Amino acid sequence: MKKLFILLVTFLTVFTVQAQQPQKITLEDILVKGTFRAQSVYGLRSMNDGIHYTTMEQQNQIVKYSYQTGEEVEVLFDITKVKDAPISSFSAYEFSDDETKILLTTERKSIYRHSYTAEFYVWNSVTEELTQLSDKGAQQLATFSPDGNYVAYVRDNNIFIKNLRFGSTHQATTDGKFNEIINGAPDWVYEEEFGFNKAFWWSPDSKFLAYIRFDETEVPEFSMPIYAGAAPTISDNKLYPGEYTFKYPKAGEANSKVEVYSYEVKTKIAIKVDIGEKTDIYVPRLKWTPDDNELVVMRLNRHQNQMDILYANPYTGDSRNFLTEKNDRYIAENFLDAFTYLEDGSFVVQSERDGWSHLYLYDKQGFEIAQLTEGEFDVTDFYGYDADKELYYYQAAAESPLRREVYYVSQDKEEKGKLSTLEGTNSAVFSTNFKYYINYYSSAKVPNYITLHDNKKGEQIRFLQDNTVLKNTVKSLQIPQKEFFTFTTSEGIELNGWMLKPNDFDASKRYPVFMTQYSGPNSQSVRDSWGGISWNEYLAQEGFLVVCVDGRGTGARGEDFRKVTYMQLGKYESDDQVEAAKYLTTLPYVDAENISIFGWSYGGFMTLLTLEKGGNLFKAGIAVAPVTSWRFYDTVYTERFMRTPEENPEGYDDNSPLSHAGDIKGNLLIVHGTADDNVHAQNTYEMTEKMVQAGVQFEMAMYTNRNHGIRGGNTSMHLYTKMVNFLKANLMEK
């Protein structure tokens, strides 16, 4: 009886202690179960009346809501109510301009980062008919004409136009061919680096379809082996790996030759547009003036430091240079998407001409009217112009580079102010007439908090999503939260960072350090925004101090801070990561003998350089899908910051990890996917050979047929388990 009593007391004591201990998060929670995935509002569209919006729900409904009340008004479309519907769900939708038709996306299959093929269906709300766009094979980029009578799309590198009134389809181009000619869709490097996947634009009156034609013939090819992924057998003929070959222009190599055409729908005639005699250029966007009269061609030189805006006659193809933007280093990418026409033909551009990213207003003749925003801060997004209030709306990092606020300003600056009220990261989606807006807010400690606002009264109407369940889960599990800090380097540069401490943190103890970073140009990893519950929080739970520092070259701190890395990518960024590690060694709770650094892609490049520079400062490092020489990377991205290898050989080689492979002292795990179309596995193979010849030991993991994200099946779990085990073995096990 006494023994039974002791056992019972012991059991109750253990049970009580376990009940008091917070439940631990697992890698499965993060990577498989989605336990901590924040909810949002998906597929939101403002309707033409400006007083209603729609969302996509359950992937089978489009629901109409009132901005004023936030309440559901009606279900505009429900696939389950369509008789004999050929599909049961859809992943995206678009309205025609008059909102009587809806284009539904199904069976989406990714190609590269932005591009995909899909099957599209058109719902006509007037006739209540659901029809397949085409039964001739998957399509790309299906887009309504403004009058709603046509849908243009791309298949097999050619453009097709379907007449919805008669059901007929016309093939507008016929010379498309894989790895040679692409019509209406960008090539690999345009898609990846100019951030778009559609290269055709309807004129506002639906009479013309302007498009870019890419001639890839002279672009060098890159091939990747594709493996069976299972034990090969003679019967399925997989004894030998296959191969995927595509056009990839590495730094200094030939790009696609681009041409611009204006295709008249009625006559079915394509008119070639004069974009100048030089062929070694980029055309990253086309637009149309609001009055339909002229096609707008954005022409960028190869150095990417001069943007010319051309106006072209769509009937003749004649063009003239209308506006030129220049920069001593390079034109920032946001110039492309911020370029916005207003109804009267005036337009807004975003420029760094005063050292900060700001908005400028031009009249329709191309003369500057006003600088709309000014000050020592960066505008980070332009939302548009409210003609009734005569106000311009934008997002900026005005209070801190760590945060984002939503602002408004009048042309004369007599009326200006801030719409957002919560400190953290805010972004807005306005209704068509700017009478209402939805604010997306988060902070390092608060997941997505989405609210609906009356812009006229300045009132919050209601919240749409507050992620209460997730907040309670984070609180109940006592998940570590970010603490922001700053420090000054030996060069006098103040840098921002955040730190995650273990739940049972004791300042009298010393903890191993896991430094994580990306560090790429104009990126930001140190932000007061919800970054989700990731393996960073898991590692903190496991006893690591997790630290992230944004070095020079990162965003929201002005042009000079952002572009100091020009012509020498890697130099200052890696110096700053070494400085960050040195700063951490001065903290009494840091185990200075057990510091590691991690990065993916550009961050992997930075991991290798930092290990090479840090000597014995770093005990271990993990480089995933790293660039090891910018000579291996694409033209658009690399030359924007480095020019060509011929022009800047020292910049390429002095800061290449390949040039200093023998200097790595810490333990290294290097990882790559064998089918990475972005940062080719070539980078890792070249680096490991350099280390082998230099006598540097390392661990290596290659993931079969995986792309830059290294995902699919059990891959993520395998990779992150490997990385956690590597860190624990090298920094925790004595």
Side-chain angles (χ1 to χ4, degrees), residues 519-523 551-555 560-565 573 576:
S519 303
N522 201 35
S523 67
R552 283 170 287 182
T554 55
D560 286 340
F561 190 88
R562 179 165 45 249
K563 294 182 179 178
V564 68
T565 62
E573 307 97 298
D576 288 347

Side-chain angles (χ1 to χ4, degrees), residues 140-160:
Q140 292 177 252
L141 311 169
T143 306
F144 281 119
S145 60
D147 63 11
N149 292 327
Y150 302 94
V151 173
Y153 62 90
V154 172
R155 180 196 289 124
D156 297 331
N157 291 10
N158 281 311
I159 298 172
F160 297 78

Side-chain angles (χ1 to χ4, degrees), residues 294-503:
E294 294 184 287
L295 173 65
V296 182
V297 180
M298 304 179 80
R299 182 181 67 192
L300 184 65
N301 67 340
R302 182 147 179 171
H303 281 164
Q304 299 177 64
N305 58 10
Q306 179 172 321
M307 178 78 77
D308 297 317
I309 308 300
L310 309 180
Y311 277 9
N313 184 322
Y315 290 96
T316 66
D318 295 333
S319 67
R320 69 186 193 281
N321 196 355
F322 179 72
L323 180 74
T324 295
E325 172 84 3
K326 294 182 179 181
N327 191 285
D328 291 339
R329 287 164 283 199
Y330 56 87
I331 306 289
E333 307 96 295
N334 52 23
F335 182 95
L336 296 172
D337 293 319
F339 190 103
T340 303
Y341 278 99
L342 310 184
E343 289 186 4
D344 64 358
S346 61
F347 56 93
V348 174
V349 302
Q350 192 168 344
S351 172
E352 298 173 298
R353 66 191 63 169
D354 73 349
W356 299 84
S357 184
H358 282 299
L359 301 174
Y360 295 80
L361 177 65
Y362 285 78
D363 66 18
K364 58 184 178 181
Q365 279 76 41
F367 295 103
E368 183 181 327
I369 300 173
Q371 181 174 346
L372 297 173
T373 61
E374 56 187 1
E376 294 188 351
F377 65 87
D378 282 330
V379 169
T380 48
D381 202 357
F382 176 55
Y383 295 126
Y385 175 66
D386 181 348
D388 291 337
K389 288 187 175 183
E390 298 183 334
L391 294 177
Y392 300 83
Y393 294 94
Y394 62 96
Q395 183 197 59
E399 296 178 350
S400 165
L402 274 62
R403 299 194 289 270
R404 300 290 187 271
E405 308 84 39
V406 178
Y407 294 93
Y408 61 87
V409 66
S410 61
Q411 180 180 319
D412 58 10
K413 302 184 184 65
E414 291 297 316
E415 189 173 356
K416 58 183 177 180
K418 183 173 70 168
L419 288 180
S420 54
T421 59
L422 299 175
E423 186 175 285
T425 296
N426 298 270
S427 63
V429 176
F430 286 87
S431 64
T432 306
N433 54 15
F434 288 91
K435 290 182 179 178
Y436 302 93
Y437 68 93
I438 292 174
N439 191 75
Y440 290 76
Y441 165 79
S442 76
S443 72
K445 298 180 179 180
V446 180
N448 298 344
Y449 182 68
I450 305 169
T451 50
L452 176 62
H453 299 257
D454 186 320
N455 195 23
K456 183 178 180 180
K457 298 178 180 178
E459 298 175 350
Q460 178 178 316
I461 298 173
R462 65 179 295 227
F463 72 86
L464 302 178
Q465 178 59 253
D466 65 356
N467 277 289
T468 297
V469 173
L470 177 57
K471 284 189 288 187
N472 290 337
T473 301
V474 170
K475 184 177 180 180
S476 66
L477 296 181
Q478 299 178 27
I479 293 176
Q481 296 188 326
K482 293 174 182 175
E483 300 174 13
F484 292 98
F485 67 91
T486 62
F487 74 97
T488 302
T489 70
S490 61
E491 296 181 55
I493 308 297
E494 186 177 89
L495 300 178
N496 297 317
W498 56 252
M499 179 183 293
L500 288 169
K501 296 175 180 176
N503 283 333

Side-chain angles (χ1 to χ4, degrees), residues 175-187:
D175 60 346
K177 186 177 180 181
F178 181 69
N179 277 350
E180 290 188 17
I181 304 295
I182 312 173
N183 294 289
D187 65 5

Side-chain angles (χ1 to χ4, degrees), residues 413-661:
K413 302 184 184 65
E414 291 297 316
E415 189 173 356
K416 58 183 177 180
K418 183 173 70 168
L419 288 180
S420 54
T421 59
L422 299 175
E423 186 175 285
T425 296
N426 298 270
S427 63
V429 176
F430 286 87
S431 64
T432 306
N433 54 15
F434 288 91
K435 290 182 179 178
Y436 302 93
Y437 68 93
I438 292 174
N439 191 75
Y440 290 76
Y441 165 79
S442 76
S443 72
K445 298 180 179 180
V446 180
N448 298 344
Y449 182 68
I450 305 169
T451 50
L452 176 62
H453 299 257
D454 186 320
N455 195 23
K456 183 178 180 180
K457 298 178 180 178
E459 298 175 350
Q460 178 178 316
I461 298 173
R462 65 179 295 227
F463 72 86
L464 302 178
Q465 178 59 253
D466 65 356
N467 277 289
T468 297
V469 173
L470 177 57
K471 284 189 288 187
N472 290 337
T473 301
V474 170
K475 184 177 180 180
S476 66
L477 296 181
Q478 299 178 27
I479 293 176
Q481 296 188 326
K482 293 174 182 175
E483 300 174 13
F484 292 98
F485 67 91
T486 62
F487 74 97
T488 302
T489 70
S490 61
E491 296 181 55
I493 308 297
E494 186 177 89
L495 300 178
N496 297 317
W498 56 252
M499 179 183 293
L500 288 169
K501 296 175 180 176
N503 283 333
D504 57 353
F505 176 75
D506 182 344
S508 66
K509 296 182 179 179
R510 293 180 181 272
Y511 296 88
V513 174
F514 173 76
M515 289 175 57
T516 180
Q517 47 72 50
Y518 177 71
S519 303
N522 201 35
S523 67
Q524 262 192 288
S525 299
V526 182
R527 286 268 301 271
D528 190 8
S529 63
W530 184 252
I533 305 301
S534 68
W535 82 311
N536 292 325
E537 283 74 15
Y538 172 82
L539 288 172
Q541 169 193 267
E542 296 298 296
F544 288 89
L545 279 173
V546 181
V547 179
C548 181
V549 171
D550 274 345
R552 283 170 287 182
T554 55
R557 296 185 60 176
E559 184 182 28
D560 286 340
F561 190 88
R562 179 165 45 249
K563 294 182 179 178
V564 68
T565 62
Y566 185 60
M567 298 288 277
Q568 47 191 350
L569 286 183
K571 174 179 170 59
Y572 294 111
E573 307 97 298
S574 55
D575 285 350
D576 288 347
Q577 294 303 315
V578 172
E579 289 275 352
K582 289 180 178 178
Y583 163 74
L584 293 172
T585 64
T586 68
L587 302 179
Y589 47 82
V590 165
D591 182 350
E593 294 183 356
N594 284 291
I595 297 176
S596 63
I597 186 167
F598 160 84
W600 197 306
S601 193
Y602 198 102
F605 162 65
M606 197 52 43
T607 292
L608 295 173
L609 266 184
T610 304
L611 288 178
E612 292 171 347
K613 288 185 176 182
N616 294 319
L617 188 59
F618 293 93
K619 182 74 171 296
I622 303 175
V624 183
V627 173
T628 60
S629 170
W630 290 108
R631 292 176 181 270
F632 299 150
Y633 203 57
D634 73 61
T635 51
V636 176
Y637 183 93
T638 308
E639 294 173 15
R640 179 185 301 150
F641 310 116
M642 296 283 281
R643 297 204 173 182
T644 65
E646 183 179 5
E647 295 172 288
N648 182 25
E650 294 83 6
Y652 277 81
D653 297 334
D654 290 351
N655 299 299
S656 166
L658 296 181
S659 300
H660 315 283

